[in-house]
């Protein structure tokens, strides 16, 4: 997760990625507000900073249980936000193949986030268990 957040966060600093994010942010029911709040490139930078922050917190979780929980919460929120885009992505299901579940366009890219959401929830569960476990 740390490596993924590093690489995905790095991409957000460049114009090519800001342009690539248009259909995702524009159709995201939880992230549509990024463009009015930060503008086109600013939204990309915001996401990059968030991804680096969550990755750093997950990494810090090796030493600090509470920081790990913050990172896992941020990661979970990130992937909830991206998974909720799937039903709203225009032309996401190939009509020629009968529609759902025949993915097309940007939906296949977003499907990886279903797995990453599960990983984030697992990390959150593990970190919470570590905090709640009595010290021996």
């Amino acid at each position: 997760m740390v490596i993924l957040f590093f690489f995905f966060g790095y991409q957000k600093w460049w114009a090519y990625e800001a342009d690539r994010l248009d259909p995702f942010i524009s159709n995201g029911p939880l992230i549509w507000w990024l463009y009015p709040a930060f503008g086109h490139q600013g939204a990309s930078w915001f996401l990059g900073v968030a991804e680096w922050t969550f990755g750093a917190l997950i990494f810090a979780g090796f030493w600090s249980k509470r920081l790990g929980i913050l990172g896992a919460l941020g990661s979970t929120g990130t992937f909830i936000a991206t998974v909720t885009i799937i039903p709203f992505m225009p032309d996401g299901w190939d009509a020629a193949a009968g529609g759902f579940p025949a993915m097309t366009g940007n939906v296949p890219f977003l499907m990886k986030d279903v797995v990453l959401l599960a990983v984030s929830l697992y990390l959150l569960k593990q970190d919470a268990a570590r905090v709640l476990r009595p010290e021996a």
Side-chain angles (χ1 to χ4, degrees), residues 94-113:
D94 195 333
F100 179 84
M103 300 178 293
T104 190
N106 291 317
V107 170
F109 174 76
L110 288 171
M111 291 304 285
K112 71 172 177 5
D113 291 355

Side-chain angles (χ1 to χ4, degrees), residues 77-103:
T78 295
F79 295 115
I80 287 172
T82 57
V83 166
T84 60
I85 299 169
I86 294 170
F88 300 98
M89 186 61 70
D91 303 318
W93 309 105
D94 195 333
F100 179 84
M103 300 178 293

Side-chain angles (χ1 to χ4, degrees), residues 53-76 120 122-128 130-131:
T53 300
F54 301 144
L57 287 168
I58 290 169
F59 185 68
F62 284 107
W63 298 277
S64 170
K65 301 167 190 175
R66 295 190 194 308
L67 291 178
I69 287 176
L70 289 175
L73 280 170
S75 182
T76 299
S120 299
Y122 177 78
L123 286 175
L124 181 58
K125 177 183 174 240
Q126 294 299 99
D127 287 339
R130 286 176 40 202
V131 166

